[in-house]
Amino acid sequence: MPVPMPMKNSQLPSLNAGELAVHVTGITKAFGKGNASTLALKGADFEAQLGELQLIIGPSGCGKTTLLSVIAGTLVPDAGDVRVLGEMLTELGKGEVTDFRRRFIGFIFQQFNLIPTLNLTENASVPLLLNGAGRRKAEKAADEMLERVGLAGRGKHYPRQLSGGQQQRVAIARALVHDPRLIICDEPTSALDRETGHQVMELLQGVARQADRSVIVVTHDPRVYEFADRIAAMEDGRVLGNRPAAEALPEMAAHH
Ligand SMILES: Nc1ncnc2c1ncn2[C@@H]1O[C@H](COP(=O)(O)OP(=O)(O)OP(=O)(O)O)[C@@H](O)[C@H]1O
Ligand SMILES: [Mg+2]
């Protein structure tokens, strides 16, 4: 596992057994104004449990990335409550939300969002550096994480020298390097072949099975379903249902 973080004031509000990792209610979010506005979320309710890998599925444009951004605190909703790891994000100031996210959340972006001017080791060490770790320690942890996603010895390369799947694995290493409590993944296997996708999902599942962790995965990739503990379905700005995978999967299979 990644090295433990040197953190100041890092105590999370203590989470009680059975408390939710994520609990959002009544989220609305519009982009743009007037005739050009899009209502991306229309009163979305969603929860994710500690110790579980939670999938979110749904058609393109239904609001999945928007919902993840709200949970990560990078997007402020127009209405609704956002409770993450026991903190009501909608009641915190902007700086406090940023600080909270840096410490406790790892995010794998749909478009990877690697920094082109940094090599892979540097890219993967960013979350540790932002949390005040020293450079050598951060880069050592980053290289260990790169090794775990199958990129051993590639640390000195730059993102432009990599295939899409390799870039995606750097994004995954960066999301995990600071050992976050909540990992939010937007299509984490979209660029990966079957074997690599399987390895990445095993890694994420291993994290999710820790009692005080939670992993949320948005996906269009049916190969990911078998790793889910629960599956939520989104449609047109709302979450329609959220069920144990054991219930949801046979039904989904019957429809295909
Ligand atoms: N920054 C933005 N400005 C304007 N509209 C936006 C913005 N971001 C999202 N939208 C709109 O909000 C809706 C939901 O977008 P979102 O990216 O959340 O969908 P998604 O479910 O993640 O889709 P996909 O599966 O294609 O990634 C879409 O209609 C989209 O066009
Ligand atoms: Mg999206």
Side-chain angles (χ1 to χ4, degrees):
M1 284 308 291
V3 293
M5 292 277 318
M7 286 194 306
K8 40 190 164 61
N9 310 320
S10 65
Q11 292 312 308
L12 268 177
S14 53
L15 287 168
N16 299 316
E19 183 149 6
L20 295 167
V22 173
H23 192 192
V24 306
T25 49
I27 303 298
T28 64
K29 180 67 190 176
F31 290 109
K33 293 205 158 63
N35 288 337
S37 113
T38 307
L39 198 50
L41 295 175
K42 305 178 178 176
D45 303 317
F46 171 74
E47 52 186 63
Q49 318 271 343
L50 291 167
E52 290 197 352
L53 194 143
Q54 167 77 55
L55 285 196
I56 302 175
I57 60 172
S60 183
C62 73
K64 301 182 299 295
T65 297
T66 307
L67 179 63
L68 293 185
S69 307
V70 167
I71 295 168
T74 53
L75 191 67
V76 179
D78 298 331
D81 287 334
V82 182
R83 197 175 178 84
V84 178
L85 301 171
E87 277 286 354
M88 192 69 101
L89 294 193
T90 35
E91 287 172 359
L92 297 182
K94 205 174 164 190
E96 290 173 310
V97 172
T98 302
D99 199 45
F100 179 85
R101 179 174 56 249
R102 281 178 181 169
R103 286 177 176 163
F104 303 120
I105 299 179
F107 203 114
I108 302 170
F109 297 90
Q110 196 165 9
Q111 311 298 337
F112 315 155
N113 291 11
L114 300 178
I115 301 168
T117 53
L118 299 184
N119 70 32
L120 305 193
T121 298
E122 290 164 343
N123 262 287
S125 53
V126 164
L128 288 166
L129 297 174
L130 288 175
N131 279 306
R135 179 168 297 274
R136 277 187 50 179
K137 208 168 174 184
E139 294 196 343
K140 184 165 178 283
D143 283 338
E144 281 168 17
M145 219 42 242
L146 288 171
E147 192 175 332
R148 290 191 62 184
V149 297
L151 292 172
R154 295 287 198 127
K156 294 284 187 284
H157 291 181
Y158 284 82
R160 65 172 181 280
Q161 300 173 301
L162 303 184
S163 70
Q166 290 168 333
Q167 290 183 37
Q168 186 157 38
R169 283 182 277 151
V170 179
I172 290 160
R174 180 182 58 186
L176 296 174
V177 76
H178 56 312
D179 203 11
R181 298 281 295 269
L182 173 65
I183 298 158
I184 300 175
C185 317
D186 202 348
E187 299 279 3
T189 60
S190 59
L192 304 181
D193 59 50
R194 173 174 273 285
E195 165 118 15
T196 314
H198 202 90
Q199 284 164 7
V200 162
M201 288 311 301
E202 278 178 346
L203 182 62
L204 292 173
Q205 188 178 53
V207 175
R209 289 202 167 145
Q210 297 172 255
D212 58 350
R213 307 290 148 119
S214 180
V215 178
I216 300 173
V217 178
V218 158
T219 193
H220 284 116
D221 182 356
R223 298 173 303 176
V224 166
Y225 295 171
E226 66 178 285
F227 295 93
D229 295 304
R230 295 180 73 87
I231 304 182
M234 277 193 84
E235 208 174 293
D236 193 23
R238 294 188 183 86
V239 180
L240 299 184
N242 193 354
R243 294 191 295 159
E247 268 174 42
L249 282 174
E251 208 167 293
M252 286 160 64
H255 283 91
H256 281 94

